[in-house]
């Protein structure tokens, strides 16, 4: 899979924090972690669902405090991604967890954007930043986040919405997405991971987002599948995440190929690779094996990753030419 040029469109920078780095940052910042032994940490990585995972994920976020931490985290992910044939990575990042610990926004976004520039020099990978709001908080909080990142407008390509889905429908954030669009951001929304197909429709029809993160439950509503195909809305699916969070219990019934066959532009991504047992190539390999995908299917997935990205047209054309 490494030889296959691809874009990664759905990865949370916080979810690339490897256990060794979590321990190292904790030590460096003089912080204690709830897990002492490797066995305790491993036990914590056996998730029962999204909200159970998010508790561990936010505890992990707690160790990231300095500009250097964000820079090293981003650098490590981009180096690893480049090593897997990723040409472009659009990385979600949620500042609110770090603002809670009084980490200044300039340290957060400064560290990340420094690493993006350095990685471009080092390996040629194009990194882009998508700032994500937490849907378990209020829309007023999300609008406040938009104001806070305004000085970083030229460094932030788009905005998204993540965290606990059930009970927090996209429509709760309609004004957030409208404001973001008004400021020229591209938009993406987690929908249909644990939430119903109706949340995917709402993200499109009420929030008018450009892209859907996950979209796993789309096949519950055939008319929604037709809408996604007609409008060519990209779904950023994450098979190993869905398996680990018990969204699906068997990848052999994973709806990715059915959606492809229905004409929906689906892509394969890692979500939170350090927590879910695989980076982007391991996700491609898992679905290829489980769904017996052909070489042509895999190339279609890689093509979709570039056409579904928010890259400038010339960059996409160059990547597609590389795929043949
Ligand atoms: N779903 C929702 N929010 C998230 C996820 C996810 O899989 N990962 C990090 N934040
Ligand atoms: Zn996600």
């Amino acid at each position: 899979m490494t030889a296959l040029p691809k874009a990664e469109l759905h990865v949370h920078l916080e979810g690339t924090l490897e256990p060794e780095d979590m321990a190292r940052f904790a030590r460096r910042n003089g912080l204690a972690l709830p897990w002492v032994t490797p066995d305790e940490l491993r036990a914590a990585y056996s998730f029962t669902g999204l909200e159970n995972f998010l508790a561990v994920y936010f505890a992990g976020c707690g160790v990231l405090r300095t500009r250097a931490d964000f820079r090293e985290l981003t650098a490590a992910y981009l180096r690893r991604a480049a090593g897997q044939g990723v040409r472009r990575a659009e990385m979600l990042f949620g500042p609110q967890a770090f603002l809670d610990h009084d980490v200044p926004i300039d340290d957060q976004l400064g560290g990340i954007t420094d690493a993006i520039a350095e990685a471009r020099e080092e390996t040629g990978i194009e990194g882009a930043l998508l700032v994500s709001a937490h849907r378990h908080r209020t829309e007023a909080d999300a609008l406040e986040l938009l104001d806070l990142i305004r000085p970083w407008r030229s460094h932030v390509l788009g905005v998204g919405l993540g965290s606990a889905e059930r009970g927090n429908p996209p429509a709760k954030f309609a004004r957030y997405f409208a404001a973001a669009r008004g400021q020229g951001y591209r938009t993406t929304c987690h929908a249909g991971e644990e939430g119903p197909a109706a949340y995917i429709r709402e993200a499109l029809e009420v929030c008018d987002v450009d892209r859907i993160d996950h979209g796993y439950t789309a096949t519950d509503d055939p008319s929604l599948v037709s809408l996604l195909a007609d409008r060519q809305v990209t779904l950023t699916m994450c098979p190993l995440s869905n398996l680990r969070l018990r969204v699906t219990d068997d990848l052999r019934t994973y709806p990715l190929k059915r959606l492809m066959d229905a004409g929906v532009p689906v892509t394969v991504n890692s979500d939170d690779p350090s927590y879910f047992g695989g980076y982007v190539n391991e996700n491609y390999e898992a679905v290829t094996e489980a769904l017996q995908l052909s070489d042509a299917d895999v190339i279609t997935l890689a093509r979709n990753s570039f056409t579904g990205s928010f890259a400038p047209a010339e960059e996409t054309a160059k990547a597609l030419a590389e795929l043949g």
Side-chain angles (χ1 to χ4, degrees):
M1 286 299 172
T2 297
L4 182 75
K6 60 185 78 66
E8 171 141 65
L9 305 181
H10 183 170
V11 58
H12 301 262
L13 267 178
E14 304 92 318
T16 69
L17 178 63
E18 289 288 337
E20 298 72 28
D21 289 324
M22 195 192 291
R24 186 168 62 86
F25 290 140
R27 226 177 303 119
R28 193 161 88 178
N29 293 324
L31 301 163
L33 280 168
W35 312 286
V36 178
T37 66
D39 278 351
E40 281 174 12
L41 190 60
R42 260 193 296 278
Y45 281 23
S46 167
F47 306 112
T48 56
L50 175 59
E51 292 186 37
N52 162 267
F53 155 70
L54 287 169
V56 178
Y57 169 90
F58 286 128
C61 287
V63 307
L64 296 160
R65 297 293 172 106
T66 69
R67 184 172 177 131
D69 297 345
F70 294 98
R71 182 173 173 172
E72 289 171 30
L73 175 78
T74 309
Y77 163 69
L78 287 171
R79 199 170 297 129
R80 196 155 182 165
Q84 289 206 342
V86 173
R87 301 290 191 267
R88 177 179 181 83
E90 299 188 353
M91 304 170 288
L92 292 153
F93 174 72
Q96 287 161 312
F98 309 100
L99 294 168
D100 284 351
H101 293 120
D102 298 320
V103 181
I105 193 74
D106 289 356
D107 290 353
Q108 301 179 35
L109 303 189
I112 294 168
T113 54
D114 283 353
I116 289 174
E118 287 157 10
R120 188 179 293 119
E121 288 295 307
E122 197 185 308
T123 62
I125 192 170
E126 285 292 338
L129 179 57
L130 306 174
V131 165
S132 188
H134 295 151
R135 68 202 309 160
H136 67 273
R137 303 178 195 246
T138 64
E139 187 183 47
D141 289 340
L143 289 165
E144 201 178 299
L145 177 64
L146 273 187
D147 282 343
L148 191 66
I149 64 173
R150 211 179 261 272
W152 289 90
R153 177 64 197 85
S154 66
H155 292 276
V156 179
L157 179 59
V159 304
L161 185 69
S163 184
E165 185 178 9
R166 275 198 205 113
N168 295 302
K172 178 180 162 188
F173 293 88
R175 285 176 303 173
Y176 161 70
F177 282 115
R181 213 170 18 260
Q183 292 173 36
Y185 291 110
R186 303 305 303 269
T187 55
T188 179
C189 182
H190 281 61
E193 180 184 15
E194 286 192 341
Y199 280 18
I200 302 171
R201 189 183 285 278
E202 203 174 283
L204 294 175
E205 294 186 342
V206 179
C207 302
D208 200 19
V209 298
D210 297 319
R211 205 155 72 193
I212 297 289
D213 291 322
H214 292 294
Y216 172 84
T217 57
T219 49
D220 292 343
D221 177 355
S223 70
L224 173 64
V225 173
S226 302
L227 179 73
L228 293 167
D230 289 347
R231 285 177 45 175
Q232 287 292 286
V233 177
T234 296
L235 303 184
T236 65
M237 301 193 85
C238 305
L240 292 177
S241 164
N242 293 158
L243 196 60
R244 286 296 190 98
L245 296 187
R246 306 192 190 182
V247 165
T248 185
D249 54 18
D250 189 342
L251 289 182
R252 285 173 300 184
T253 56
Y254 199 63
L256 175 125
K257 180 73 166 97
R258 264 178 288 148
L259 287 162
M260 282 175 86
D261 290 345
V264 179
V266 297
T267 62
V268 170
N269 307 273
S270 69
D271 208 8
D272 300 288
S274 79
Y275 291 95
F276 300 147
Y279 282 74
V280 71
N281 281 353
E282 287 75 35
N283 277 273
Y284 270 79
E285 282 155 9
V287 281
T288 299
E289 161 85 18
L291 299 172
Q292 299 286 293
L293 299 182
S294 67
D295 290 352
D297 290 332
V298 174
I299 289 169
T300 297
L301 289 169
R303 290 185 75 83
N304 290 348
S305 76
F306 291 114
T307 54
S309 81
F310 298 148
E314 324 81 76
E315 187 188 322
T316 301
K318 185 163 161 267
L320 291 176
E322 205 186 340
L323 271 172

